[in-house]
Amino acid sequence: MNTRLTRALASVTLFLALLGGLAFAGKAVTHMLDDGAVCVRTDFWGNASLGPEGLPVADGVKATSSTARLCQDGPSTGQRAADLGGQLPWLLFVALAMLLFSRLLDGVVKEGPFTETVARRLTVLGWFVVVGMPVASLVVGWSHSWLVASMAPIVGSGPTFDGPMELVFAGLAAVILGRIMHQGVRMREDLEGTI
């Protein structure tokens, strides 16, 4: 096994995790302190023929077309937080996943690939993806839905999932592989104990 390559990959993923964490914190702080407009796009009226009165939006909201881009010039704190909720969960999810992956690779470098530590870290990474992916997706979908509803009260579409749910299968595969590795490590230890 090429430990230099694995060590370099562990360092790169740790750097990317830290960079993602800094991007998460920076975006949260700058966005909440920003006093500009909050905009959201919805295709709720995509097939509607709109009359001269335009879209049924709340006061102070500007709508640009039937596949509407709604903008609120003086957004409330809730609207600004919902706008962040549509952006930040993915940054946090990726940063934490990269951190867990970096720890997994660090375990491979320090102890080898077929150890209890690596099996445990692989299982933790898998469960994080299995649980974190739908949670991040639901937070993004709910934030988007709430933001649209706050600007155009007639919508009320409800929360949706917004993200690549296929990653859940990759997470399940990592959990299963981690359990298999765990059993293999125990069998090897039992065999070494009998010899």
Side-chain angles (χ1 to χ4, degrees):
M1 174 170 209
N2 191 343
T3 56
R4 272 194 294 184
L5 179 62
T6 308
R7 187 174 288 121
L9 188 56
S11 298
V12 167
T13 55
L14 180 61
F15 174 74
L16 291 175
L18 293 175
L19 193 63
L22 286 174
F24 173 82
K27 186 152 185 84
V29 169
T30 58
H31 193 73
M32 289 306 283
L33 296 177
D34 184 17
D35 61 353
V38 168
C39 295
V40 65
R41 184 172 298 280
T42 180
D43 58 356
F44 181 78
W45 296 280
N47 295 324
S49 59
L50 302 173
E53 66 276 353
L55 299 174
V57 295
D59 291 338
V61 175
K62 298 174 190 162
T64 57
S65 69
S66 61
T67 55
R69 182 170 186 259
L70 307 171
C71 291
Q72 178 81 47
D73 282 332
S76 68
T77 304
Q79 286 174 320
R80 194 164 296 286
D83 188 37
L84 272 176
Q87 302 169 23
L88 290 185
W90 294 124
L91 273 174
L92 182 62
F93 175 78
V94 168
L96 290 175
M98 293 298 279
L99 180 64
L100 291 173
F101 186 64
S102 174
R103 289 190 35 79
L104 171 70
L105 291 176
D106 190 49
V108 169
V109 168
K110 288 181 180 173
E111 299 179 22
F114 302 107
T115 62
E116 183 66 34
T117 301
V118 171
R120 186 177 59 253
R121 288 180 182 177
L122 182 61
T123 303
V124 168
L125 176 61
W127 278 119
F128 176 76
V129 172
V130 166
V131 174
M133 186 74 212
V135 168
S137 183
L138 189 60
V139 169
V140 168
W142 180 83
S143 296
H144 180 265
S145 169
W146 187 89
L147 187 58
V148 170
S150 74
M151 292 185 194
I154 197 169
V155 176
S157 62
T160 60
F161 283 100
D162 183 18
M165 297 305 291
E166 297 82 15
L167 288 178
V168 171
F169 295 113
L172 286 173
V175 168
I176 292 167
L177 187 58
R179 296 302 300 162
I180 291 170
M181 286 177 65
H182 174 72
Q183 292 300 323
V185 167
R186 288 183 60 199
M187 288 173 61
R188 185 184 70 199
E189 289 171 353
D190 289 345
L191 183 63
E192 288 172 355
T194 59
I195 293 178

